[in-house]
Amino acid sequence: MKKIISLALCLAATLSCACAAQADTRPSSSHEVFFAGSDYELNVYYVKGRQDGKTLLLIGGIQGDEPGGYLSADLYPDLVLEKGNLIVVPRANLKSIILGDRGPDGDMNRQFHDNAKVGPMYQVVGKLKELMSQADLFLHLHDGWGYHSPVYVDSLRNPNRYGQSLIADSANFTCDNGSVLPLQEMADSVLGEVNSRISNEQHHLHFFNTRTADPDTPYSEMRKTATYYALRKECLPAFGVEASKNLPSLEDKILYHNLVINAFMERLGIVAEAPRILIPTSGLHYTEVMVNGVPHMLKDKDTLTIRRNDEVQVVDIGTDYKRGVTMDLLGYGNLNDFKQSFRVGKDTQMVFRKEGQKFGSIDIKALSDEQYARYADKQKQEQHDHRQNVTRVFVVAVNDKHHVLLSGDTLKLAPADRLELISSFGDGSNDETVTLNFRGWVPETPSKMPNDDRGYLIEPDKSRLLRQYSEHGEGKRYAVVATDSRGNPVGEIWVQLSQ
Ligand SMILES: [Zn+2]
């Protein structure tokens, strides 16, 4: 565990996201989401071992056209560790991954310089820098062209190619505090282990020293990368891992990344627990039940109301862990009735179990035809009431100036004002055609749609207003009613005329 895990930093991380921060228990897996719902959404996974130990940071997907790296990283949040810790960012650059583009807003791996810029991509860079301060070693996972070779073989296999290499910015890096990181020695020992597991020698990985700090390096642009930032700012041993884009399959690319990660884990004393122990604690998220062939989605503790002798069949059980899961329809079938069909003639219950442990239940109410008809009517009425309660907005213009009102609001009009009804929409039924009717006002020329007064100029002082349509017949307040495509009124505003 790294010396500085500042409490302030943890607090800041918690505040900036609506999710669980790092768990304190061991062993544990937790997950944080930053910038949720944006193109640069950042998912960070923390795996803490049963015993504390060194922390390895894995970052993949900083360039979206390198799937070997991010799909390899994506396997590691599922580990349970006996010892040590992992911080995993499988998809550092979500936008570039969605687009399969190295850098739609520029190359994110050239933004780790000291001239911080603002913008969504740079927020991610800032977060990745914070994670570095919590790690003991950092692997940056990439896929590169060709095959790196210390000697020139051909255009695909030579010292300038990146694929199948373990990259360091220096053979030995001296930190500001004077400590020396023996990067080449670390790489050599890991590569010995990795290559011993790769039977095809053409696929062996080689050490690639970009000599990033040297004045004569051909790789001076590497000074803006994540690994170089980690070295100079955090004194954090950091390597680029490059699978070759020219490998025959995606599985090969993932496999070689895995081999390098596993060898570094071993070197750091980070040990995976095998098999992982799974004691699922979460309950029934949902279940899908067919009633006479029509699907119904239900949650734990819901009641399913059916007509007596309807055919009921549970076809899906939504839980975190599927194995050992059964459903028992009490009074029907056997202990395990999952996916079986039953005609249900009486009230009963579906009981969901994992092995012998009940984790959810749904009541079934079987109604007679008469009871069911009443139930269906009530449901219909409730749906209608719900539509009425949905917030509805009215857009009108008074003397060409737009006003927005909510259903129930009152608009005051002077005699010389000119009113135009423009539109109305609600959060429940945006797509429905709505007509707007000024009750008691009749246009001189009939409208295209009956009772629709949109598109007219309504002039209170010149118009004939039918007083009997006003509130209490007083001729002061008139309703403007919005009606949906089925003819149901869905909201109204009031127009109050001043004298
Ligand atoms: Zn890359």
Side-chain angles (χ1 to χ4, degrees):
M1 182 91 94
K2 193 141 192 190
K3 41 275 166 194
I4 14 148
I5 292 194
S6 95
L7 182 65
L9 196 135
C10 288
L11 282 174
T14 316
L15 288 173
S16 63
C17 82
C19 50
Q22 293 187 53
D24 283 331
T25 51
R26 290 185 174 278
S28 67
S29 301
S30 52
H31 171 207
E32 274 187 299
V33 189
F34 300 96
F35 323 121
S38 75
D39 291 353
Y40 281 100
E41 180 175 300
L42 186 69
N43 287 266
V44 183
Y45 302 86
Y46 303 89
V47 183
K48 290 187 174 179
R50 197 171 291 280
Q51 291 174 59
D52 199 0
K54 293 278 172 57
T55 299
L56 173 62
L57 170 64
L58 301 175
I59 296 179
I62 202 163
Q63 291 137 347
D65 57 347
E66 303 180 6
Y70 64 75
L71 291 176
S72 165
D74 206 32
L75 301 171
Y76 285 81
D78 289 333
L79 286 183
V80 172
L81 298 176
E82 192 177 310
K83 187 162 191 270
N85 313 294
L86 292 173
I87 302 172
V88 188
V89 181
R91 297 170 189 82
N93 191 340
L94 183 63
K95 183 172 181 178
S96 79
I97 288 172
I98 294 169
L99 297 172
D101 179 325
R102 181 179 175 88
D105 299 323
D107 188 339
M108 192 189 278
N109 200 29
R110 298 291 181 273
Q111 313 302 334
F112 289 78
H113 45 71
D114 295 330
N115 309 316
K117 293 184 197 165
V118 288
M121 180 167 72
Y122 305 100
Q123 284 187 309
V124 170
V125 169
K127 220 25 103 178
L128 298 177
K129 288 176 176 175
E130 282 177 28
L131 296 176
M132 290 176 190
S133 70
Q134 302 174 41
D136 297 290
L137 194 133
F138 163 38
L139 296 180
H140 204 190
L141 312 178
H142 296 262
D143 301 349
W145 288 107
Y147 296 86
H148 184 78
S149 165
V151 292
Y152 188 95
V153 178
D154 55 32
S155 63
L156 200 62
R157 197 175 284 280
N158 61 57
N160 297 319
R161 290 299 183 183
Y162 283 81
Q164 298 306 95
S165 73
L166 187 55
I167 305 179
D169 293 289
S170 173
N172 293 293
F173 185 83
T174 307
C175 301
D176 287 345
N177 65 12
S179 60
V180 177
L181 305 175
L183 300 174
Q184 179 157 12
E185 185 203 301
M186 293 164 84
D188 284 345
S189 88
V190 159
L191 288 177
E193 170 65 25
V194 168
N195 289 335
S196 75
R197 292 173 183 268
I198 302 175
S199 54
N200 182 351
E201 247 181 76
Q202 300 289 299
H203 292 179
H204 279 188
L205 281 81
H206 294 95
F207 181 62
F208 184 178
N209 179 1
T210 53
R211 299 188 293 108
T212 302
D214 290 1
D216 67 338
T217 179
Y219 303 103
S220 57
E221 83 276 14
M222 294 294 179
R223 290 171 195 158
K224 301 177 203 159
T225 63
T227 52
Y228 193 60
Y229 176 91
L231 289 172
R232 67 194 175 88
K233 290 287 186 184
E234 297 289 339
C235 192
L236 175 65
F239 297 89
V241 184
E242 299 266 359
S244 175
K245 289 186 175 184
N246 303 76
L247 285 164
S249 74
L250 178 57
E251 187 177 346
D252 283 330
K253 296 174 198 170
I254 298 169
L255 173 68
Y256 297 141
H257 276 291
N258 293 355
L259 290 178
V260 174
I261 296 166
N262 293 349
F264 270 106
M265 282 173 61
E266 194 180 336
R267 209 194 134 89
L268 292 167
I270 302 172
V271 183
E273 211 165 78
R276 58 181 293 204
I277 299 170
L278 276 169
I279 305 173
T281 51
S282 61
L284 179 66
H285 301 319
Y286 68 88
T287 183
E288 185 179 356
V289 184
M290 305 297 274
V291 179
N292 299 334
V294 179
H296 294 250
M297 297 302 277
L298 296 159
K299 300 188 301 293
D300 190 19
K301 306 276 192 297
D302 276 354
T303 297
L304 173 65
T305 303
I306 59 166
R307 204 191 298 254
R308 267 178 215 159
N309 296 319
D310 274 352
E311 192 174 350
V312 174
Q313 181 192 24
V314 173
V315 294
D316 191 15
I317 302 174
T319 54
D320 288 346
Y321 196 72
K322 298 268 183 197
R323 295 178 203 161
V325 169
T326 56
M327 188 285 299
D328 185 5
L329 182 61
L330 301 183
Y332 294 84
N334 304 306
L335 285 172
N336 183 17
D337 303 320
F338 185 31
K339 296 199 174 166
Q340 296 187 54
S341 240
F342 298 95
R343 294 216 167 263
V344 177
K346 55 180 195 270
D347 289 359
T348 180
Q349 192 180 47
M350 296 186 267
V351 173
F352 298 83
R353 298 191 186 98
K354 177 167 158 46
E355 287 94 29
Q357 193 85 35
K358 176 179 164 183
F359 66 87
S361 65
I362 287 170
D363 288 335
I364 297 183
K365 266 192 115 49
L367 305 180
S368 68
D369 285 356
E370 197 184 315
Q371 289 169 323
Y372 192 84
R374 274 204 300 274
Y375 164 80
D377 273 355
K378 209 176 136 214
Q379 287 289 103
K380 226 165 136 189
Q381 185 57 43
E382 274 171 14
Q383 274 171 23
H384 175 73
D385 291 349
H386 174 73
R387 272 203 308 277
Q388 295 280 53
N389 289 335
V390 162
T391 309
R392 176 159 285 279
V393 169
F394 289 75
V395 184
V396 303
V398 178
N399 306 328
D400 288 334
K401 193 164 175 277
H402 280 61
H403 296 263
V404 174
L405 296 104
L406 291 177
S407 193
D409 284 354
T410 297
L411 175 72
K412 287 187 178 148
L413 277 192
D417 282 340
R418 300 290 171 260
L419 171 68
E420 193 187 340
L421 306 178
I422 295 172
S423 65
S424 170
F425 49 88
D427 48 20
S429 48
N430 286 351
D431 50 356
E432 287 178 21
T433 315
V434 167
T435 59
L436 294 180
N437 177 222
F438 190 123
R439 306 261 313 263
W441 180 81
V442 185
E444 271 173 42
T445 52
S447 58
K448 287 186 213 94
M449 289 228 280
N451 293 324
D452 193 7
D453 299 329
R454 286 178 297 177
Y456 291 100
L457 213 51
I458 298 171
E459 303 171 286
D461 59 345
K462 295 181 188 166
S463 303
R464 198 167 72 88
L465 290 168
L466 305 175
R467 194 184 173 98
Q468 63 268 37
Y469 285 97
S470 68
E471 193 183 28
H472 311 308
E474 289 168 351
K476 289 178 188 159
R477 265 159 64 89
Y478 290 82
V480 173
V481 179
T483 303
D484 71 12
S485 55
R486 289 181 299 268
N488 296 316
V490 289
E492 63 187 3
I493 53 169
W494 292 92
V495 175
Q496 172 131 27
L497 303 176
S498 58
Q499 305 307 315

